[in-house]
Amino acid sequence: MKLSDNGYYVERYVKCCNCGLLIYKDGLTRKAGGTSGLFCSEWCVEWFDRRESGTSPAPLPLPREANGVFGTRNVVTMNILDSAMVSICREMGILMMKTSYSTIFNEGLDFTCALADRNGDLIAVGEFCPSMIGGMPLIVKTITKEIPLDSFSEGDVVMHNDPHRGGLHLPEHTLIKPFYVDGELLGFAACIGHVAEIGGTVPGAFNGEATEIFHEGLCVPPVRIRVKGEDNVDVWKMLLANVRTPKHNYGDFRAMIGAVDLGVSRITELVRKYGKDVFVKTCQDLMDYSETCMRAELAAFPDGHYTFEDFVENDGIEAGKRHKLHVDVYVQGDEIVADFTGTDPQARGPINATLGVAMGATYNAFLHLTDPSIPKNSGAFRPLRIVAKPGTLANVNYPAPEVAGNTELHPRFAGIVFGAMSKCVPDRVMASEAGTGGNFVFGGRHPDTDDYYVCYDVMFGGWGGRADSDGNDAVVVISGNCRLNPTEVFETRYPWRVENFAISQDSGGAGTHRGGLGFTRTLVATAKEITVSQCTDHHEVAPWSLFGGQKGGLGSTFIQKNGSQEWQTVSQAYNKVSTSKFANIRVLDGDRIKITVPGGGGYGDPSARSREQVKEDLLEGFISEKIAREVYGFSEEADA
């Protein structure tokens, strides 16, 4: 990445031709695949050359880090420090939840708190949003590329949300604070939080019709919002002047600062207790241990080349145009390369993902496929390599929009990794989940206070069926551990009445193990006017199934105008291109919105499902008599 001579702005984004990483200094100019290009490593040169020449790029062993080998270690101290650091991260998250202003934090828990070493490597993390866990190391490393380590001071807090500089998507703001012991910089406390309101052309950031990042909100490069413990007032004023809800943003940012303050305080106490040398060595031991555990898991997978594809139904701009997501997963001994090169070029609309999203999704998938007890740190990611060609849906180029790339493509990328690995370890994968964050955002003047409000609400669907169980019902996609807004909170904070909120019958794909169920929620507007936008998917392309199962149920969004009995799509009611991705519709007092979220895909032949399970699903209302009879072959008389 080439900054201007004064360092004030980016002149050009420079990426590796192969893996898509930003190159900050001189890269490697090489001829590969018949053309000259810039690469970040000799490994990337060789992989690119093999692939573009039409030969299989694998096996090509990944370069080992110098510290990726076990040395003598104190296992007891390693376990104590790991548990203590994870507890610190959890405590940071609890503080953030308890002190934040917005429901996406204090109800939804859409954030992650972590600790990193001075190199930006993840050493501990709380069990919050998986998309952020995998994306954290790249973000912290990006910040320290632009702000040299020797320029940090005690008490500094740096903010960053630029997706094109290592971030995930624009709403997610990262704050890091360095921690020192005896004047030596040892690492950072960090948190990432999805800020509900960031300016841009729609309240809540999710502009389903954006065609450039400037439509989506305020982009913040790595800047200090606190300098040596004191507020950088000019930066604060700039941040809060560009959003609709400055009071809430101020409160949420203060909650995030409180989280990293607490993290620094707690980790400093821990280092002083055990000593700097023990701390530094133990963190390295932990990462080496995670690497060794992950390699042991991957070594048990059959070597081979596994591939899978899925499609996003549209980008909100071009009606009916499908966008292909493709992955080639190469299992080579105790290493994995996930190559997304076959993925379509970036879209005009906001469904594009950054490299951090593709990386985080791949890490997330393999954390699901391997031993859950492996400590979650950068060591666990060393045996995994992600290749994402610049200018594609998996690695968007500036200044294209990308706000839906994280919520929509992270679960879809993780999903196609599962799909590919279904041919390798079928007993460890699941069919497609709902595959969408169901992002529903709105804002306006509250009728009770006349204050401006904004809400980012996530809509959950079903997970896919798997080898030993049905998919989970009405839960967030695997990119997040977020929670639904309780109806009572939703109705008291915002001018909606929840008229109906129920599981959607038959929405889970039939199978030996059926997909999880989605739900339907009907909202009635109780304010004079509410501005609504949405970014979701699977209104047209159903979640895929595995091994003879059936696809999951489709989602939908319908509008019923006050006084009318007719339900219409937003395309019919507001002349929008897409029913699933749209911006700034005006919902008036008494209007209804009915949102149905997708269900998960089924796993295995439905005829092999036990009669007891079919009967229970029928009694619970999860499936209809028609599906029981026509798909599962169930009859009350024969199966009594």
Side-chain angles (χ1 to χ4, degrees), residues 57 117 120 168 189 193 196 202 207 238 279 342 354 370 379 381 398 426 431 448 498 512 517 573 628:
D117 67 11
L168 300 177
V202 306
N207 183 342
M238 182 68 72
F279 172 78
T354 63
T370 53
F381 305 149
Y398 178 87
D448 296 337
V498 180
T512 307
L517 302 168

Side-chain angles (χ1 to χ4, degrees), residues 469-490:
S469 64
D470 295 340
N472 303 63
D473 302 322
V475 290
V476 69
V477 285
I478 63 170
S479 52
N481 288 328
C482 304
R483 307 184 307 194
L484 277 167
N485 277 320
T487 295
E488 296 80 2
V489 172
F490 194 78

Side-chain angles (χ1 to χ4, degrees), residues 88-98 111 113 128 259:
I88 290 170
C89 297
R90 292 169 180 163
E91 189 179 3
M92 291 166 64
I94 292 170
L95 183 147
M96 194 168 156
M97 175 185 71
K98 295 290 188 181
F111 55 77
C113 299
F128 298 109

Side-chain angles (χ1 to χ4, degrees), residues 112-317:
T112 285
C113 299
L115 297 170
D117 67 11
R118 70 191 313 272
N119 299 316
D121 286 318
L122 192 69
I123 55 177
V125 67
E127 304 88 343
F128 298 109
C129 286
S131 64
M132 300 174 186
I133 291 173
M136 181 78 77
L138 181 63
I139 296 172
V140 178
K141 287 176 182 288
T142 299
I143 293 173
T144 57
K145 291 284 188 183
E146 295 195 38
I147 302 178
L149 294 180
D150 58 8
S151 71
F152 278 95
S153 299
E154 292 193 54
D156 286 357
V157 176
V158 173
M159 174 182 283
H160 170 253
N161 82 330
D162 188 344
H164 293 289
R165 288 152 106 155
L168 300 177
H169 67 163
L170 208 59
E172 289 183 350
H173 290 59
T174 299
L175 269 65
I176 69 169
K177 182 178 182 179
F179 62 89
Y180 295 78
V181 174
D182 300 330
E184 182 180 354
L185 173 62
L186 296 181
F188 300 90
C191 69
I192 305 178
H194 184 120
V195 177
E197 165 55 24
I198 59 170
T201 54
V202 306
F206 276 89
N207 183 342
E209 302 168 14
T211 56
E212 57 184 10
I213 194 171
F214 308 109
H215 295 156
E216 297 176 334
L218 181 64
C219 192
V220 184
V223 295
R224 292 176 176 86
I225 61 170
R226 298 189 90 188
V227 179
K228 297 181 180 180
E230 300 294 329
D231 283 350
N232 189 339
V233 177
D234 291 339
V235 170
W236 276 99
K237 288 181 177 179
M238 182 68 72
L239 290 171
L240 300 178
N242 284 278
V243 296
R244 297 169 177 84
T245 55
K247 180 179 179 180
H248 281 75
N249 285 53
Y250 178 78
D252 289 340
F253 289 149
R254 283 295 183 203
M256 296 176 76
I257 291 173
V260 294
D261 283 348
L262 178 65
V264 166
S265 175
R266 293 286 191 261
I267 193 64
T268 302
E269 293 172 4
L270 193 67
V271 175
R272 291 193 183 281
K273 179 178 179 179
Y274 288 91
K276 288 188 297 184
D277 293 342
V278 170
F279 172 78
V280 171
K281 183 180 185 306
T282 303
C283 288
Q284 189 58 61
D285 288 344
L286 275 168
M287 288 189 283
D288 291 346
Y289 172 74
S290 291
E291 177 184 2
T292 300
C293 291
M294 180 61 77
R295 288 187 181 278
E297 288 283 302
L298 301 180
F301 293 176
D303 281 10
H305 171 203
Y306 308 97
T307 187
F308 201 79
E309 290 181 351
D310 193 11
F311 291 86
V312 181
E313 62 197 23
N314 63 69
D315 67 347
I317 302 298

